[in-house]
Amino acid sequence: MAYIKTKVSLKGVLILGKAEIYIVTLEGEPVISYRGGVNGFEATAVESDSDEKIDVTSDLVISYARHLEKRHDMLLDMLFEEGTYKKLYSYRHLINGFAVHTTPEQADMLRQAPGVKSVERDWKVRKLTTHTPQFLGLPTGVWPTGGGFDRAGEDIVIGFVDSGIYPHHPSFASHRSDPYGPVPKYRGKCEVDRETKRDYCNGKIIGAQHFAEAAKTAGAFNPDIDFDSPLDGDGHGSHTAAIAAGNNGIPVRMHGFEFGRASGMAPRARIAVYKALYRIFGGFVADVVAAIDQAVHDGVDILNLSVGPNSPPATTKTTYLNPFDATLLAAVKAGVFVVQAAGNGGPFPKTLLSYSPWIATVAAAVDDRRYKNHFTLGNGKILAGLGLSPATHTNRTFTLVAANDVLLDSSVAKYSPSDCQRPEVLNKNLVQGNILLCGYSFNFVVGTASIKKVSQTAKSLGAAGFVLAVENTSPGTKFDPVPVGIPGILITDVTKSTDLIDYYNMSTPRDWTGRVKSFKAVGSIGEGLRPILHKSAPTVALFSARGPNIKDYSFQDADLLKPDILAPGSLIWAAWAPNGTDEPNYVGKVFIHLT
């Protein structure tokens, strides 16, 4: 939190305080709903009985938007001395208001000022395919009605408020299809990268902007990893854009194996990027509202929000009557179809992050494709697990060696060697040619440990493969199959993991000090690269947020039933950004298989 010293001329009182970001809404209509005159002229954004979008190019509308911004500046200038506050954004098109960095004392003065409707302290938001088109019946149902897969989504502009985009990914390449013509209705711009001096647009991507004033002012923005540009430093934005509008027929190749060919659901649609989410902290509502306001101004047809607030704002008595959801309402009134993810708080009820009654809230479904694998013990028992990996050599078993039993010396125990993240602490002579047995600890769920790193450790030590045994899990723990280049499997069931450990211990003789005399346990890893199709689909994904929404301060019973629809959202193959990510299993990857 940043601190500033402020001096406010109000009855001679000097006010010192801790600066924060506030979103202020004012009386008076925004551009989208204005139906009157100002300064002697008429300004009507949209006819009340019309389905047409807002005409932001109208001279009258432009003049009214400027008039609103002047009102914002005049109010601040009237109340506070110059240098005691910082206005971050003026919101003119969807809501009439602004975001300002100021003290709580000044915020109280704003609340009491004539013409001010609300003053909300800014709050945070968070980030909420090869087979999916076939599962949804698009190739035989929807795509032919839109001209086929090579024309489905033609001239539709989808705006993505997310973590940006990796424009060099083949899912967004323009040279893979017929040339893209201009879209006259779209008025967005393409920012130029400060380092490469190139913009982010190529015909497929037709708009790319980023919004970070609130993040910077709050001291949360790190330009080294967040990228002060539309470039995706996380991967989430590229993933969602590719699922919705990625090119058709893109080969998904990893570790020498092709998992299929990826396609967006509307492969010919255009992509407009409005980056407002960042790697470590997520984002701030003030930036997200600015991004949405700009997207509607620019003329997007669809607004995709895989983002939601961490919680309802502190002072609003009804969850969906706040500046964020009011902005979404105005976007819908402007003719934009708004889609928002329900959230990832499942399987528990009342975990929704999408409150707006006027938009489409989408729950995540599991489709009919599953990736499964198995580990066969020397005693004949078969343990089911997850492992997007090749098999060990057929008709052959390999010796099992536990990481804790192949330490170079006892001093390395401080490094938690059982999670197999550090190859340098393990004895290569004992691991080479064998299957390395590791423990899947809590560090994999909330820490920095990753299956990718286990795979790298096993490979560097010359192991035949690896097996991870879950030590314990909490309700709702989500396990994703991670593609690896060597045989590997995660045993996700605690009971089956216990069977594995019991077998290993009974088969491994030790001396009186507990040191292994010889390794006798053996096993083999199955092949998990090919999917199995199930008939029981779709089903709600375990992690998908549930309703009802009963977080309102004034209601005991549910007053809003959500989500609205269900769509595939679990384990979808799609693009990723190799620049950097908080998902340690996917650092450097171009495609991932993720929720």
Side-chain angles (χ1 to χ4, degrees):
M1 187 67 67
Y3 289 80
I4 60 173
K5 183 176 181 180
T6 65
K7 182 179 180 181
V8 180
S9 296
L10 182 66
K11 298 183 180 179
V13 178
L14 179 69
I15 299 175
L16 300 178
K18 177 182 176 182
E20 297 183 276
I21 299 169
Y22 294 87
I23 300 176
V24 182
T25 56
L26 305 180
E27 294 177 359
E29 298 296 335
V31 167
I32 182 59
S33 54
Y34 188 69
R35 299 287 186 276
V38 60
N39 295 338
F41 59 79
E42 292 291 321
T44 302
V46 179
E47 295 295 335
S48 58
D49 58 350
S50 172
D51 292 330
E52 294 183 5
K53 291 185 179 180
I54 178 175
D55 180 11
V56 296
T57 63
S58 161
D59 290 340
L60 297 179
V61 169
I62 292 172
S63 297
Y64 183 63
R66 289 173 179 167
H67 166 73
L68 291 180
E69 186 164 4
K70 287 180 181 178
R71 281 187 56 198
H72 304 162
D73 294 336
M74 287 175 59
L75 176 62
L76 290 168
D77 290 343
M78 178 182 70
L79 290 177
F80 312 127
E81 287 187 1
E82 184 179 353
T84 66
Y85 65 90
K86 179 183 179 183
K87 190 186 77 169
L88 307 181
Y89 299 106
S90 269
Y91 306 125
R92 303 162 298 170
H93 298 97
L94 303 180
I95 60 173
N96 175 16
F98 54 86
V100 62
H101 187 232
T102 188
T103 66
E105 295 86 354
Q106 289 173 307
D108 286 338
M109 293 171 58
L110 279 166
R111 289 188 182 96
Q112 299 168 21
V116 173
K117 291 174 61 177
S118 70
V119 178
E120 297 281 357
R121 189 175 64 187
D122 195 12
W123 66 107
K124 286 189 174 182
V125 295
R126 54 181 146 170
K127 292 169 292 188
L128 293 187
T129 119
T130 58
H131 174 67
T132 307
Q134 287 73 22
F135 174 69
L136 293 176
L138 300 183
T140 58
V142 176
W143 285 354
T145 65
F149 71 84
D150 57 342
R151 283 287 176 264
E154 186 75 60
D155 293 334
I156 298 296
V157 180
I158 306 177
F160 295 90
V161 179
D162 214 300
S163 65
I165 199 162
Y166 184 66
H168 313 298
H169 197 281
S171 290
F172 312 126
S174 59
H175 64 270
R176 299 185 63 91
S177 59
D178 292 340
Y180 285 99
V183 184
K185 66 183 178 182
Y186 182 72
R187 296 169 294 275
K189 66 179 182 179
C190 295
E191 290 185 17
V192 175
D193 188 281
R194 297 177 182 178
E195 295 184 4
T196 65
K197 307 304 180 185
R198 297 175 58 186
D199 66 34
Y200 288 79
C201 296
N202 60 4
K204 174 70 171 177
I205 304 170
I206 61 172
Q209 303 174 57
H210 80 293
F211 301 82
E213 290 302 314
K216 292 176 181 177
T217 303
F221 186 86
N222 182 345
D224 292 333
I225 61 173
D226 290 323
F227 299 113
D228 200 5
S229 74
L231 186 63
D232 189 356
D234 176 272
H236 191 266
S238 300
H239 196 66
T240 55
I243 291 171
N247 290 327
N248 182 70
I250 305 301
V252 180
R253 296 191 182 100
M254 300 185 72
H255 306 294
F257 184 84
E258 184 171 307
F259 289 91
R261 292 179 177 265
S263 174
M265 303 304 102
R268 188 68 177 177
R270 311 299 182 90
I271 294 169
V273 177
Y274 298 87
K275 177 179 172 180
L277 296 181
Y278 299 89
R279 279 182 60 182
I280 303 300
F281 58 90
F284 291 86
V285 171
D287 289 331
V288 172
V289 169
I292 296 170
D293 189 81
Q294 187 65 51
V296 175
H297 168 276
D298 292 344
V300 301
D301 299 299
I302 299 169
L303 196 57
N304 183 85
L305 300 169
S306 291
V307 53
N310 288 2
S311 62
T315 57
T316 300
K317 298 304 181 183
T318 303
T319 51
Y320 49 81
L321 297 182
N322 62 73
F324 176 70
D325 290 281
T327 300
L328 298 183
L329 173 60
V332 173
K333 290 173 64 178
V336 177
F337 181 67
V338 180
V339 183
Q340 185 182 23
N344 298 333
F348 308 105
K350 312 171 192 175
T351 50
L352 280 169
L353 295 177
S354 177
Y355 311 123
S356 292
W358 31 81
I359 66 170
T361 298
V362 185
V366 177
D367 65 16
D368 60 346
R369 180 184 57 193
R370 309 283 192 278
Y371 285 97
K372 294 185 177 181
N373 207 338
H374 63 275
F375 186 74
T376 304
L377 301 179
N379 61 10
K381 184 172 287 189
I382 298 175
L383 307 179
L386 295 177
L388 270 173
S389 81
T392 49
H393 292 294
T394 56
N395 302 319
R396 181 182 170 189
T397 61
F398 294 81
T399 301
L400 272 171
V401 296
N404 282 336
D405 290 330
V406 293
L407 304 181
L408 286 172
D409 60 71
S410 59
S411 66
V412 302
K414 62 183 178 181
Y415 296 117
S416 301
S418 67
D419 62 11
C420 299
Q421 301 295 290
R422 299 170 63 97
E424 66 272 17
V425 305
L426 304 179
N427 189 327
K428 183 173 183 178
N429 293 329
L430 295 177
V431 176
Q432 193 166 19
N434 300 321
I435 293 176
L436 182 61
L437 173 58
C438 311
Y440 190 92
S441 64
F442 202 54
N443 193 29
F444 284 84
V445 181
V446 298
T448 58
S450 69
I451 296 175
K452 177 184 176 183
K453 186 62 177 177
V454 175
S455 174
Q456 292 171 340
T457 295
K459 185 176 182 180
S460 68
L461 297 174
F466 68 87
V467 56
L468 276 159
V470 170
E471 298 173 3
N472 51 65
T473 58
S474 57
T477 299
K478 180 169 64 72
F479 300 103
D480 292 336
V482 177
V484 292
I486 67 171
I489 188 170
L490 167 64
I491 309 299
T492 59
D493 186 281
V494 174
T495 302
K496 290 182 173 60
S497 291
T498 301
D499 290 342
L500 169 59
I501 300 303
D502 289 346
Y503 165 74
Y504 175 81
N505 287 332
M506 287 189 295
S507 305
T508 306
R510 301 174 186 270
D511 62 21
W512 66 274
T513 67
R515 187 169 182 174
V516 174
K517 291 182 180 180
S518 60
F519 295 97
K520 300 291 187 181
V522 297
S524 62
I525 300 171
E527 193 264 299
L529 296 173
R530 303 182 192 282
I532 301 170
L533 299 183
H534 287 246
K535 293 182 179 179
S536 57
T539 58
V540 179
L542 184 69
F543 64 85
S544 187
R546 268 70 166 174
N549 168 37
I550 58 171
K551 290 186 176 180
D552 288 358
Y553 294 82
S554 56
F555 296 97
Q556 295 298 320
D557 300 319
D559 63 304
L560 182 63
L561 296 179
K562 289 272 187 175
D564 300 300
I565 59 174
L566 184 69
S570 178
L571 303 179
I572 305 297
W573 281 111
W576 199 249
N579 302 302
T581 174
D582 293 331
E583 297 279 352
N585 285 316
Y586 306 117
V587 174
K589 300 294 185 184
V590 178
F591 281 101
I592 68 165
H593 184 245
L594 187 66
T595 297

CSV table of all heavy atoms in Angstrom, one decimal, residues 5 48 132 140 156 168 237 262 282 290 309 333 357 367 408 466 488 528 569 578:
chain,number,residue,atom,x,y,z
A,5,LYS,N,1.5,12.0,1.6
A,5,LYS,CA,1.1,13.1,2.5
A,5,LYS,C,0.2,14.1,1.8
A,5,LYS,O,0.5,14.5,0.7
A,5,LYS,CB,2.4,13.8,3.0
A,5,LYS,CG,2.1,14.9,4.0
A,5,LYS,CD,3.4,15.5,4.5
A,5,LYS,CE,3.1,16.6,5.5
A,5,LYS,NZ,4.4,17.2,6.0
A,48,SER,N,-33.7,4.2,-27.6
A,48,SER,CA,-34.2,3.3,-26.5
A,48,SER,C,-34.8,2.0,-27.0
A,48,SER,O,-34.8,1.0,-26.3
A,48,SER,CB,-35.3,4.1,-25.6
A,48,SER,OG,-36.3,4.5,-26.5
A,132,THR,N,-12.9,-30.8,-28.0
A,132,THR,CA,-14.1,-30.1,-27.6
A,132,THR,C,-15.0,-29.7,-28.7
A,132,THR,O,-16.2,-29.9,-28.6
A,132,THR,CB,-13.7,-28.8,-26.8
A,132,THR,OG1,-12.8,-29.1,-25.7
A,132,THR,CG2,-14.9,-28.1,-26.2
A,140,THR,N,-20.4,-30.6,-37.3
A,140,THR,CA,-21.6,-31.1,-38.1
A,140,THR,C,-22.8,-30.2,-37.8
A,140,THR,O,-23.8,-30.3,-38.6
A,140,THR,CB,-21.9,-32.5,-37.8
A,140,THR,OG1,-22.2,-32.6,-36.3
A,140,THR,CG2,-20.8,-33.4,-38.2
A,156,ILE,N,-16.8,-11.5,-36.4
A,156,ILE,CA,-17.2,-11.3,-35.0
A,156,ILE,C,-15.9,-10.9,-34.2
A,156,ILE,O,-14.9,-11.5,-34.4
A,156,ILE,CB,-17.8,-12.6,-34.4
A,156,ILE,CG1,-19.1,-13.0,-35.2
A,156,ILE,CG2,-18.0,-12.5,-32.9
A,156,ILE,CD1,-20.2,-12.0,-35.0
A,168,HIS,N,2.7,-14.5,-30.9
A,168,HIS,CA,3.5,-15.4,-31.8
A,168,HIS,C,3.0,-16.8,-31.9
A,168,HIS,O,3.6,-17.6,-32.6
A,168,HIS,CB,5.0,-15.3,-31.4
A,168,HIS,CG,5.5,-13.9,-31.2
A,168,HIS,ND1,5.5,-12.9,-32.1
A,168,HIS,CD2,5.9,-13.3,-30.0
A,168,HIS,CE1,5.9,-11.8,-31.6
A,168,HIS,NE2,6.2,-12.0,-30.3
A,237,GLY,N,-4.5,-15.6,-20.4
A,237,GLY,CA,-5.2,-14.9,-21.4
A,237,GLY,C,-5.0,-15.5,-22.8
A,237,GLY,O,-6.0,-15.6,-23.6
A,262,ALA,N,-5.7,-28.6,-32.4
A,262,ALA,CA,-6.5,-27.7,-31.6
A,262,ALA,C,-7.3,-26.8,-32.5
A,262,ALA,O,-6.9,-26.4,-33.6
A,262,ALA,CB,-5.7,-26.9,-30.6
A,282,GLY,N,-3.1,-10.9,-9.6
A,282,GLY,CA,-4.4,-10.9,-10.3
A,282,GLY,C,-4.7,-9.6,-10.9
A,282,GLY,O,-4.1,-9.2,-11.9
A,290,ALA,N,-12.0,-0.1,-16.5
A,290,ALA,CA,-11.4,0.7,-17.6
A,290,ALA,C,-11.3,-0.1,-18.8
A,290,ALA,O,-11.6,0.4,-19.9
A,290,ALA,CB,-10.1,1.3,-17.2
A,309,PRO,N,-14.3,-10.9,-9.0
A,309,PRO,CA,-13.8,-10.2,-7.8
A,309,PRO,C,-13.5,-11.3,-6.7
A,309,PRO,O,-14.1,-12.3,-6.7
A,309,PRO,CB,-15.0,-9.4,-7.4
A,309,PRO,CG,-16.2,-10.0,-8.0
A,309,PRO,CD,-15.8,-10.6,-9.3
A,333,LYS,N,-26.5,-3.3,-22.1
A,333,LYS,CA,-27.3,-2.3,-22.7
A,333,LYS,C,-26.8,-1.7,-24.0
A,333,LYS,O,-27.5,-1.3,-24.9
A,333,LYS,CB,-27.6,-1.2,-21.7
A,333,LYS,CG,-28.5,-1.6,-20.5
A,333,LYS,CD,-28.5,-0.5,-19.5
A,333,LYS,CE,-29.2,0.8,-20.0
A,333,LYS,NZ,-29.3,1.8,-19.0
A,357,PRO,N,-27.0,-10.4,-12.7
A,357,PRO,CA,-28.2,-11.1,-13.2
A,357,PRO,C,-28.3,-10.9,-14.7
A,357,PRO,O,-28.9,-11.7,-15.4
A,357,PRO,CB,-29.4,-10.5,-12.5
A,357,PRO,CG,-28.8,-9.8,-11.4
A,357,PRO,CD,-27.4,-9.4,-11.7
A,367,ASP,N,-15.8,-32.8,-20.0
A,367,ASP,CA,-16.4,-33.5,-21.2
A,367,ASP,C,-16.1,-35.0,-21.2
A,367,ASP,O,-15.8,-35.5,-20.1
A,367,ASP,CB,-15.9,-32.8,-22.5
A,367,ASP,CG,-14.4,-33.0,-22.7
A,367,ASP,OD1,-13.8,-33.8,-22.0
A,367,ASP,OD2,-13.8,-32.3,-23.5
A,408,LEU,N,22.5,-38.7,-1.1
A,408,LEU,CA,23.9,-38.7,-1.1
A,408,LEU,C,24.5,-38.8,0.3
A,408,LEU,O,25.5,-39.4,0.6
A,408,LEU,CB,24.5,-37.5,-1.9
A,408,LEU,CG,24.3,-37.6,-3.4
A,408,LEU,CD1,24.7,-36.3,-4.0
A,408,LEU,CD2,25.1,-38.7,-4.0
A,466,PHE,N,9.3,-42.4,-13.2
A,466,PHE,CA,9.0,-41.9,-11.8
A,466,PHE,C,7.6,-42.2,-11.4
A,466,PHE,O,6.7,-42.3,-12.3
A,466,PHE,CB,9.3,-40.4,-11.6
A,466,PHE,CG,8.4,-39.5,-12.4
A,466,PHE,CD1,7.2,-39.0,-11.8
A,466,PHE,CD2,8.7,-39.1,-13.7
A,466,PHE,CE1,6.4,-38.2,-12.5
A,466,PHE,CE2,7.9,-38.2,-14.4
A,466,PHE,CZ,6.7,-37.8,-13.8
A,488,GLY,N,5.9,-41.6,-16.4
A,488,GLY,CA,5.7,-41.0,-15.1
A,488,GLY,C,4.2,-41.1,-14.8
A,488,GLY,O,3.4,-41.0,-15.6
A,528,GLY,N,-0.1,-43.5,-21.0
A,528,GLY,CA,-1.2,-42.6,-20.7
A,528,GLY,C,-1.4,-41.5,-21.7
A,528,GLY,O,-2.0,-40.5,-21.4
A,569,GLY,N,-14.9,-26.9,-19.6
A,569,GLY,CA,-13.9,-26.0,-19.0
A,569,GLY,C,-12.9,-26.7,-18.2
A,569,GLY,O,-12.2,-26.1,-17.4
A,578,PRO,N,4.8,-18.9,-23.3
A,578,PRO,CA,6.0,-19.4,-22.7
A,578,PRO,C,6.8,-18.4,-21.9
A,578,PRO,O,7.9,-18.7,-21.3
A,578,PRO,CB,6.8,-19.9,-23.9
A,578,PRO,CG,6.4,-19.0,-25.0
A,578,PRO,CD,4.9,-18.7,-24.7
